[in-house]
Amino acid sequence: MNKTRIGIFGAGYIASVHADILGQDDRVELVGVADMVEANATRLATQVGNARTGTTLEELFRMDVDTVYITTPNTTHVEPVVAALGEGLNVFCEKPMATDLAGGERIREAALASTGVYNLGMNRRYAYTHDKLKSLIETGDLMPYSAQFKLNRGELLRPAWTADPSKTGGFLYETTIHQIDLLQYLFGSIATLRCAARSAISDAEFDDFSMLFTFESGVVATLSSSAHSGWSFPFERVEIYGRYATAATEELERVRYALDLDQTIHSEDYTHIPFAEKGGYVKEDRLFVDALVDGGTPPVGIDDAWALNLLLAAIYESARENKEIDFAQRVRAAIG
Ligand SMILES: NC(=O)c1ccc[n+]([C@@H]2O[C@H](COP(=O)([O-])OP(=O)(O)OC[C@H]3O[C@@H](n4cnc5c(N)ncnc54)[C@H](O)[C@@H]3O)[C@@H](O)[C@H]2O)c1
């Protein structure tokens, strides 16, 4: 079997999570690692065995890779992704796709012109808690009418660049993007949105957000997100309400659901499942490699990534201009 030859660009925290997972997939050969900090590339290459090392993307390309993982900080994704797609390589890029509309558009054009496959890393879709919600909805056991989402962050100190909007693109691109992606993944197309936001403790434009969404399906949902809550629980939660029914997640650890008034309340606890598995990283990597090997569609392909990029820009616009946005119309106009 010809193995997929993968190179990793950006050898920090999340690169090491992916490298551990990919290293256990016998369809993959981890060929090389590049990082502007040579010691980081060397450390990760040592972790995965005998990968070659470099400090630039061009060096990685010369290692005869067919696929690259882009795992550098948020505002540095567009250039390497466009360059890799231009070489006809497959790309797995960590979130976010881009931190503005122009960057997302450049990647979309590059992906449509490339023979390579583009995939955005949105692991939360495949977290055990959210997999359970998705299957309750898809089987029809839970018909969602309304929902309340929350995703906080304790601090913006580790890694240090997460406090710097010039590196993150803003808190929604850094953290809340995970649940913003889940909204359309679980409930379908958004019709309208509104966001109120403030800057409470940082120099960033905003670090507290309250959002309201309506969906074409009729679902209505709220999402609140704070960048400075500390790490006391609860900081991550999804509650979905149906007809005398509730499904609620507790962090990425548990889900509880009751599907009618006179039925048992079910509870699933994933505490003992290893972090990379219950967090959805193992599944997102497996689905991506499946698409490369089988020629299928990747889990979060270019259309989903681009629509999510459009959504994040619309939420910031709503906060800045204090207005509701007809997002369905925005999507129609962007598709042309
Ligand atoms: N899906 C998730 O749950 C998740 C979790 C953490 C991080 N991420 C994403 O992964 C990306 C990396 O985050 P991290 O926490 O691993 O950061 P990190 O700081 O731990 O690692 C980033 C690495 O990229 C290198 N780097 C920075 N700029 C570079 C450049 N221009 N060229 C080459 N190398 C460069 C740094 O030297 C560092 O080794 C970010 O986009 C982040 O949003 C996703």
Side-chain angles (χ1 to χ4, degrees), residues 117-158:
V117 168
Y118 173 86
N119 183 73
L120 182 66
M122 296 305 311
N123 62 294
R124 283 293 202 291
R125 286 189 182 193
Y126 309 109
Y128 276 33
T129 44
H130 304 139
D131 246 1
K132 185 70 203 180
L133 296 179
K134 180 80 171 165
S135 85
L136 287 172
I137 293 170
E138 281 188 347
T139 55
D141 289 334
L142 176 65
M143 167 72 85
Y145 293 135
S146 66
Q148 166 169 288
F149 284 49
K150 175 177 65 186
L151 182 54
N152 291 340
R153 178 155 174 154
E155 36 66 29
L156 291 173
L157 301 174
R158 287 186 298 274

Side-chain angles (χ1 to χ4, degrees), residues 8 22 59 68 87 226 260-261 267 320 331 334:
I8 297 177
L22 295 169
E59 281 176 84
V68 290
E87 295 285 322
S226 169
D260 212 334
L261 287 176
S267 179
R320 284 181 190 126
V331 173

Side-chain angles (χ1 to χ4, degrees), residues 9-15 35-37 40 71-74 76-77 94-96 121 123-124 159 161 174 178 281:
F9 186 63
Y13 163 69
I14 205 66
D35 194 296
M36 61 192 288
V37 178
N40 292 359
T71 47
T72 54
N74 302 358
T76 61
H77 291 171
E94 260 302 339
K95 44 62 66 170
N123 62 294
R124 283 293 202 291
W161 62 261
E174 171 52 23
H178 287 293
Y281 301 97

